[in-house]
Amino acid sequence: IDLGLVKEHETKSFREMLGLPVSALQGLSESADACLKHHHVETIEKLGKWKFLSVAEALVTLAEAEETLSDSERHMERELHKIEPYNKPGFKEVFPKVST
């Protein structure tokens, strides 16, 4: 927390921190407050729950785990998923010696 908040707010409880303006985060000025206020984001809590921030964080996390496929490989993979149910072996292929 010491590196995340402006020094004057470091001793506050987490609940108190949620009510602070966004500019209480180290590296953000009061102009960030004014900018985010236009999007109804006036506190650290609202910033943390802001849907656009959540989507951006999710995209960053997913991108780190994403397999790198070319466009043609992705297309081929999608096409294979479409026909996959028809390529699954049936009961007789899996258990050839069992009579039904």
Side-chain angles (χ1 to χ4, degrees):
I1 299 303
D2 290 348
L3 299 177
L5 289 176
V6 174
K7 200 144 204 76
E8 67 186 85
H9 299 298
E10 290 176 352
T11 58
K12 293 189 167 133
S13 72
F14 290 119
R15 289 189 180 154
E16 288 175 311
M17 289 176 192
L18 292 180
L20 294 172
V22 177
S23 60
L25 296 170
Q26 219 172 64
L28 295 180
S29 67
E30 290 181 7
S31 63
D33 292 335
C35 180
L36 288 168
K37 187 175 183 176
H38 291 292
H39 300 285
H40 308 288
V41 177
E42 296 146 352
T43 64
I44 292 174
E45 180 177 19
K46 286 185 178 183
L47 178 64
K49 292 180 177 180
W50 195 31
K51 73 176 183 178
F52 299 109
L53 179 64
S54 298
V55 169
E57 288 175 334
L59 288 171
V60 168
T61 301
L62 291 169
E64 290 170 356
E66 181 178 39
E67 292 180 29
T68 323
L69 298 176
S70 67
D71 288 343
S72 60
E73 289 170 326
R74 266 194 299 282
H75 176 73
M76 180 63 75
E77 194 172 77
R78 272 189 240 113
E79 293 302 314
L80 288 172
H81 284 298
K82 287 179 187 176
I83 61 172
E84 188 178 53
Y86 303 107
N87 290 336
K88 290 184 180 175
F91 182 84
K92 290 181 182 178
E93 289 84 11
V94 175
F95 302 102
K97 297 193 182 220
V98 177
S99 60
T100 54

